[in-house]
Amino acid sequence: MRSRFLLAVVGVLCVGGMPVFGQDNPPQEIAQVSKLAVPRLVRFSGTVRDAAAKPLRGPVDVTFSLYRDEAGGEPLWFETQTVEADAQGRYSVLLGAMHPDGLPMDLFASGEARWLGVSVG
């Protein structure tokens, strides 16, 4: 079972001492600040169900993949986590938790939305 969801990561920075219009900021400073706005771990919650639409419970392997497009194409990133589903099949994970550096920042550098694919089993 695979489905895709739109995953948009939007960073909003509120930094004291932001430049007044007309002042110049070196490009390195702007790039450094914008990198801090992308979270390295993203919380995602969902439900897992079997082919008969009955909720699964207990440990379930789930693969999460990020795609450029809604349908088709190779994943830009993926990881598999064993989630603990409750009696209704609900679970919650931190995407990027299986990688030492979390989600790769370059996935979101373009500012384009990404699609999240979720495969059970």
Side-chain angles (χ1 to χ4, degrees):
M1 178 188 328
R2 177 194 265 182
S3 57
R4 290 198 187 169
F5 305 92
L6 180 62
L7 177 67
V9 176
V10 179
V12 178
L13 288 178
C14 296
V15 180
M18 289 297 288
V20 178
F21 291 106
Q23 289 182 337
D24 290 334
N25 255 7
Q28 315 86 310
E29 286 182 29
I30 293 171
Q32 196 66 9
V33 170
S34 66
K35 284 183 181 179
L36 298 175
V38 178
R40 300 309 294 234
L41 300 175
V42 174
R43 182 170 300 284
F44 180 79
S45 298
T47 58
V48 287
R49 298 180 184 277
D50 64 15
K54 287 182 64 177
L56 297 174
R57 63 184 307 168
V60 180
D61 288 337
V62 181
T63 299
F64 303 93
S65 306
L66 287 177
Y67 295 88
R68 180 180 323 276
D69 299 311
E70 181 178 4
E74 292 294 314
L76 301 171
W77 171 92
F78 71 92
E79 74 180 6
T80 300
Q81 293 190 29
T82 301
V83 302
E84 188 65 36
D86 68 11
Q88 287 80 38
R90 296 179 298 212
Y91 67 91
S92 184
V93 296
L94 290 173
L95 299 176
M98 303 306 293
H99 300 273
D101 294 327
L103 290 168
M105 291 171 51
D106 61 338
L107 287 175
F108 304 100
S110 69
E112 298 173 351
R114 298 293 183 226
W115 292 88
L116 177 66
V118 180
S119 295
V120 177

PDB file of all heavy atoms in Angstrom, residues 13 15 17-19 24-36:
ATOM      1  N   LEU A  13      11.787  32.854   9.727  1.00  0.00           N
ATOM      2  CA  LEU A  13      12.798  33.320  10.663  1.00  0.00           C
ATOM      3  C   LEU A  13      12.396  34.658  11.251  1.00  0.00           C
ATOM      4  O   LEU A  13      12.001  35.558  10.520  1.00  0.00           O
ATOM      5  CB  LEU A  13      14.146  33.499   9.958  1.00  0.00           C
ATOM      6  CG  LEU A  13      14.868  32.230   9.569  1.00  0.00           C
ATOM      7  CD1 LEU A  13      16.152  32.591   8.845  1.00  0.00           C
ATOM      8  CD2 LEU A  13      15.182  31.419  10.785  1.00  0.00           C
ATOM      9  N   VAL A  15      14.454  37.065  13.319  1.00  0.00           N
ATOM     10  CA  VAL A  15      15.778  37.318  13.862  1.00  0.00           C
ATOM     11  C   VAL A  15      15.867  38.781  14.235  1.00  0.00           C
ATOM     12  O   VAL A  15      15.601  39.649  13.405  1.00  0.00           O
ATOM     13  CB  VAL A  15      16.873  36.962  12.823  1.00  0.00           C
ATOM     14  CG1 VAL A  15      18.245  37.234  13.378  1.00  0.00           C
ATOM     15  CG2 VAL A  15      16.736  35.513  12.385  1.00  0.00           C
ATOM     16  N   GLY A  17      17.396  42.374  14.865  1.00  0.00           N
ATOM     17  CA  GLY A  17      18.427  43.104  14.154  1.00  0.00           C
ATOM     18  C   GLY A  17      18.442  42.818  12.667  1.00  0.00           C
ATOM     19  O   GLY A  17      19.480  42.912  12.024  1.00  0.00           O
ATOM     20  N   MET A  18      17.293  42.470  12.103  1.00  0.00           N
ATOM     21  CA  MET A  18      17.233  42.239  10.661  1.00  0.00           C
ATOM     22  C   MET A  18      17.543  43.551   9.958  1.00  0.00           C
ATOM     23  O   MET A  18      17.253  44.625  10.457  1.00  0.00           O
ATOM     24  CB  MET A  18      15.849  41.730  10.247  1.00  0.00           C
ATOM     25  CG  MET A  18      15.570  40.308  10.685  1.00  0.00           C
ATOM     26  SD  MET A  18      16.666  39.093   9.967  1.00  0.00           S
ATOM     27  CE  MET A  18      16.075  39.077   8.300  1.00  0.00           C
ATOM     28  N   PRO A  19      18.134  43.497   8.758  1.00  0.00           N
ATOM     29  CA  PRO A  19      18.538  44.720   8.079  1.00  0.00           C
ATOM     30  C   PRO A  19      17.349  45.589   7.691  1.00  0.00           C
ATOM     31  O   PRO A  19      16.267  45.085   7.392  1.00  0.00           O
ATOM     32  CB  PRO A  19      19.255  44.210   6.828  1.00  0.00           C
ATOM     33  CG  PRO A  19      18.738  42.836   6.623  1.00  0.00           C
ATOM     34  CD  PRO A  19      18.401  42.310   7.981  1.00  0.00           C
ATOM     35  N   ASP A  24      22.886  46.384   2.889  1.00  0.00           N
ATOM     36  CA  ASP A  24      23.338  45.181   2.196  1.00  0.00           C
ATOM     37  C   ASP A  24      23.727  44.117   3.207  1.00  0.00           C
ATOM     38  O   ASP A  24      24.311  44.415   4.234  1.00  0.00           O
ATOM     39  CB  ASP A  24      24.544  45.487   1.318  1.00  0.00           C
ATOM     40  CG  ASP A  24      24.183  46.346   0.131  1.00  0.00           C
ATOM     41  OD1 ASP A  24      23.016  46.307  -0.310  1.00  0.00           O
ATOM     42  OD2 ASP A  24      25.059  47.051  -0.367  1.00  0.00           O
ATOM     43  N   ASN A  25      23.382  42.877   2.892  1.00  0.00           N
ATOM     44  CA  ASN A  25      23.810  41.732   3.685  1.00  0.00           C
ATOM     45  C   ASN A  25      24.704  40.882   2.800  1.00  0.00           C
ATOM     46  O   ASN A  25      24.323  40.582   1.676  1.00  0.00           O
ATOM     47  CB  ASN A  25      22.614  40.886   4.107  1.00  0.00           C
ATOM     48  CG  ASN A  25      22.258  41.072   5.551  1.00  0.00           C
ATOM     49  OD1 ASN A  25      22.813  41.924   6.216  1.00  0.00           O
ATOM     50  ND2 ASN A  25      21.335  40.283   6.018  1.00  0.00           N
ATOM     51  N   PRO A  26      25.846  40.462   3.286  1.00  0.00           N
ATOM     52  CA  PRO A  26      26.663  39.559   2.478  1.00  0.00           C
ATOM     53  C   PRO A  26      25.904  38.277   2.178  1.00  0.00           C
ATOM     54  O   PRO A  26      25.216  37.746   3.045  1.00  0.00           O
ATOM     55  CB  PRO A  26      27.874  39.279   3.374  1.00  0.00           C
ATOM     56  CG  PRO A  26      27.883  40.363   4.386  1.00  0.00           C
ATOM     57  CD  PRO A  26      26.450  40.803   4.545  1.00  0.00           C
ATOM     58  N   PRO A  27      26.005  37.749   0.938  1.00  0.00           N
ATOM     59  CA  PRO A  27      25.267  36.539   0.580  1.00  0.00           C
ATOM     60  C   PRO A  27      25.560  35.355   1.498  1.00  0.00           C
ATOM     61  O   PRO A  27      24.683  34.553   1.754  1.00  0.00           O
ATOM     62  CB  PRO A  27      25.739  36.242  -0.845  1.00  0.00           C
ATOM     63  CG  PRO A  27      26.233  37.543  -1.372  1.00  0.00           C
ATOM     64  CD  PRO A  27      26.733  38.303  -0.186  1.00  0.00           C
ATOM     65  N   GLN A  28      26.792  35.239   2.033  1.00  0.00           N
ATOM     66  CA  GLN A  28      27.123  34.130   2.917  1.00  0.00           C
ATOM     67  C   GLN A  28      26.266  34.165   4.176  1.00  0.00           C
ATOM     68  O   GLN A  28      25.830  33.131   4.668  1.00  0.00           O
ATOM     69  CB  GLN A  28      28.589  34.123   3.369  1.00  0.00           C
ATOM     70  CG  GLN A  28      29.630  34.369   2.340  1.00  0.00           C
ATOM     71  CD  GLN A  28      29.911  35.841   2.110  1.00  0.00           C
ATOM     72  OE1 GLN A  28      29.016  36.641   1.909  1.00  0.00           O
ATOM     73  NE2 GLN A  28      31.174  36.190   2.091  1.00  0.00           N
ATOM     74  N   GLU A  29      26.030  35.349   4.710  1.00  0.00           N
ATOM     75  CA  GLU A  29      25.220  35.465   5.924  1.00  0.00           C
ATOM     76  C   GLU A  29      23.782  35.045   5.650  1.00  0.00           C
ATOM     77  O   GLU A  29      23.172  34.346   6.451  1.00  0.00           O
ATOM     78  CB  GLU A  29      25.238  36.897   6.452  1.00  0.00           C
ATOM     79  CG  GLU A  29      26.546  37.288   7.113  1.00  0.00           C
ATOM     80  CD  GLU A  29      26.492  38.699   7.648  1.00  0.00           C
ATOM     81  OE1 GLU A  29      25.383  39.155   8.004  1.00  0.00           O
ATOM     82  OE2 GLU A  29      27.553  39.331   7.707  1.00  0.00           O
ATOM     83  N   ILE A  30      23.239  35.464   4.517  1.00  0.00           N
ATOM     84  CA  ILE A  30      21.864  35.108   4.168  1.00  0.00           C
ATOM     85  C   ILE A  30      21.756  33.596   3.995  1.00  0.00           C
ATOM     86  O   ILE A  30      20.833  32.967   4.497  1.00  0.00           O
ATOM     87  CB  ILE A  30      21.417  35.843   2.892  1.00  0.00           C
ATOM     88  CG1 ILE A  30      21.324  37.351   3.172  1.00  0.00           C
ATOM     89  CG2 ILE A  30      20.072  35.302   2.403  1.00  0.00           C
ATOM     90  CD1 ILE A  30      21.104  38.192   1.960  1.00  0.00           C
ATOM     91  N   ALA A  31      22.708  32.988   3.287  1.00  0.00           N
ATOM     92  CA  ALA A  31      22.684  31.542   3.074  1.00  0.00           C
ATOM     93  C   ALA A  31      22.789  30.804   4.398  1.00  0.00           C
ATOM     94  O   ALA A  31      22.104  29.812   4.628  1.00  0.00           O
ATOM     95  CB  ALA A  31      23.816  31.121   2.136  1.00  0.00           C
ATOM     96  N   GLN A  32      23.637  31.280   5.291  1.00  0.00           N
ATOM     97  CA  GLN A  32      23.825  30.620   6.581  1.00  0.00           C
ATOM     98  C   GLN A  32      22.537  30.672   7.409  1.00  0.00           C
ATOM     99  O   GLN A  32      22.145  29.687   8.005  1.00  0.00           O
ATOM    100  CB  GLN A  32      24.976  31.298   7.336  1.00  0.00           C
ATOM    101  CG  GLN A  32      25.511  30.496   8.467  1.00  0.00           C
ATOM    102  CD  GLN A  32      26.195  29.215   7.989  1.00  0.00           C
ATOM    103  OE1 GLN A  32      26.420  28.981   6.813  1.00  0.00           O
ATOM    104  NE2 GLN A  32      26.505  28.362   8.919  1.00  0.00           N
ATOM    105  N   VAL A  33      21.858  31.820   7.427  1.00  0.00           N
ATOM    106  CA  VAL A  33      20.628  31.969   8.190  1.00  0.00           C
ATOM    107  C   VAL A  33      19.531  31.103   7.594  1.00  0.00           C
ATOM    108  O   VAL A  33      18.790  30.438   8.303  1.00  0.00           O
ATOM    109  CB  VAL A  33      20.192  33.449   8.255  1.00  0.00           C
ATOM    110  CG1 VAL A  33      18.799  33.575   8.837  1.00  0.00           C
ATOM    111  CG2 VAL A  33      21.183  34.244   9.092  1.00  0.00           C
ATOM    112  N   SER A  34      19.414  31.050   6.241  1.00  0.00           N
ATOM    113  CA  SER A  34      18.343  30.266   5.635  1.00  0.00           C
ATOM    114  C   SER A  34      18.525  28.779   5.874  1.00  0.00           C
ATOM    115  O   SER A  34      17.563  28.039   5.953  1.00  0.00           O
ATOM    116  CB  SER A  34      18.241  30.559   4.130  1.00  0.00           C
ATOM    117  OG  SER A  34      19.403  30.107   3.474  1.00  0.00           O
ATOM    118  N   LYS A  35      19.755  28.290   6.009  1.00  0.00           N
ATOM    119  CA  LYS A  35      19.985  26.879   6.308  1.00  0.00           C
ATOM    120  C   LYS A  35      19.433  26.508   7.679  1.00  0.00           C
ATOM    121  O   LYS A  35      18.990  25.390   7.885  1.00  0.00           O
ATOM    122  CB  LYS A  35      21.480  26.551   6.266  1.00  0.00           C
ATOM    123  CG  LYS A  35      22.032  26.450   4.879  1.00  0.00           C
ATOM    124  CD  LYS A  35      23.482  26.062   4.928  1.00  0.00           C
ATOM    125  CE  LYS A  35      24.061  25.982   3.545  1.00  0.00           C
ATOM    126  NZ  LYS A  35      25.482  25.621   3.572  1.00  0.00           N
ATOM    127  N   LEU A  36      19.440  27.430   8.600  1.00  0.00           N
ATOM    128  CA  LEU A  36      18.950  27.152   9.942  1.00  0.00           C
ATOM    129  C   LEU A  36      17.431  26.996   9.983  1.00  0.00           C
ATOM    130  O   LEU A  36      16.900  26.429  10.912  1.00  0.00           O
ATOM    131  CB  LEU A  36      19.377  28.276  10.895  1.00  0.00           C
ATOM    132  CG  LEU A  36      20.880  28.465  11.057  1.00  0.00           C
ATOM    133  CD1 LEU A  36      21.155  29.681  11.920  1.00  0.00           C
ATOM    134  CD2 LEU A  36      21.524  27.229  11.638  1.00  0.00           C
TER     135      LEU A  36
END
